[in-house]
Amino acid sequence: MKKLELVDYKAFRFNKLMTREYKHVNYLFFWILYGFLFQGVEHWSWINENYYPVYCAFDDLIPFCEYFVVPYIYWFVYLIGFLVFTFFYDVESFTRSMRFITVTYLLAIVAYVLFPNGQDLRPVAFERNNIFSQIVAGLYRNDTNTNVCPSIHVIGSFAVMLPAWHSKYFKTWLWRIVFGVLAVLISISTVFLKQHSIIDVLAAVPVCVLGYVVAYFDVFRSKFGAKKQYQQESI
């Protein structure tokens, strides 16, 4: 890993929020907005009582496996850990990750409102009684079965993986593999825990593509412009 370079926040003041040096701090306020919006749709009784159950036949082929609760919960460390690290050491990656999250998470909220959805896949009883199944039971009690398509867990995983692949600290193939494997494990954990249908996972893919384009639009535009200029000069 490249030598860490700590971002200097000693001179930060709220009146500097719009300056080039500290404007990325404004993204922290997004989490307040998102918290209100998500809790709103989660506790909107009309959605809870009138949701469309997301399901496909492939969901029946996937067995419930309580051990996947480990990568499922690790998602919080994966997401928060990356954002905290980049906030202090890699402002560019933090900014791009937050652009990705802002667009995709708000789009997900809109989808939940326009298309109230949920899932009825959770098992009535667990085959095994162990610490992992007990954690899943607690998860079921504290997390509603609504607002599942597209999956926020999948979107959040890609919001970390893709910026990490571009980060100056994680550009090696080993780091890319680590972030990629973690993103895949977290994504598939959602279906093995019966928290999501496969449809929820697939629906998150185009949302992530859009988030990636928005987060790296300037990079794509620069590369396209350079390629176009090279082609014109070659004629």
Side-chain angles (χ1 to χ4, degrees), residues 85-102:
F85 175 83
T86 54
F87 182 78
F88 287 103
Y89 293 101
D90 189 354
V91 170
E92 180 181 356
S93 295
F94 173 81
T95 300
R96 295 191 186 281
S97 184
M98 284 305 304
R99 284 181 190 170
F100 188 113
I101 289 171
T102 301

Side-chain angles (χ1 to χ4, degrees), residues 7 9 21-31 79-102 159-160 162-164 166-170 215-216:
V7 178
Y9 287 104
E21 185 179 7
Y22 296 116
K23 63 181 181 180
H24 64 280
V25 178
N26 286 286
Y27 280 112
L28 296 179
F29 296 110
F30 165 78
W31 292 109
L79 178 62
I80 297 174
F82 181 76
L83 291 177
V84 170
F85 175 83
T86 54
F87 182 78
F88 287 103
Y89 293 101
D90 189 354
V91 170
E92 180 181 356
S93 295
F94 173 81
T95 300
R96 295 191 186 281
S97 184
M98 284 305 304
R99 284 181 190 170
F100 188 113
I101 289 171
T102 301
V160 171
L162 295 173
H166 287 275
S167 172
K168 60 185 178 182
Y169 293 113
F170 306 110
Y216 289 90

Side-chain angles (χ1 to χ4, degrees), residues 187-202:
S187 297
I188 65 175
S189 74
T190 65
V191 294
F192 278 99
L193 291 183
K194 300 303 178 180
Q195 282 286 82
H196 287 279
S197 162
I198 293 179
I199 295 176
D200 304 333
V201 176
L202 296 178

Side-chain angles (χ1 to χ4, degrees), residues 125-175:
F126 301 129
E127 294 182 4
R128 296 172 292 273
N129 182 19
N130 52 43
I131 183 62
F132 301 102
S133 60
Q134 292 171 13
I135 294 175
V136 175
L139 182 66
Y140 284 176
R141 287 193 298 269
N142 292 283
D143 187 19
T144 71
N145 64 326
T146 55
N147 306 311
V148 295
C149 186
S151 169
I152 289 293
H153 249 67
V154 174
I155 293 173
S157 297
F158 279 86
V160 171
M161 183 191 76
L162 295 173
W165 282 0
H166 287 275
S167 172
K168 60 185 178 182
Y169 293 113
F170 306 110
K171 279 189 174 182
T172 66
W173 280 109
L174 179 59
W175 275 115

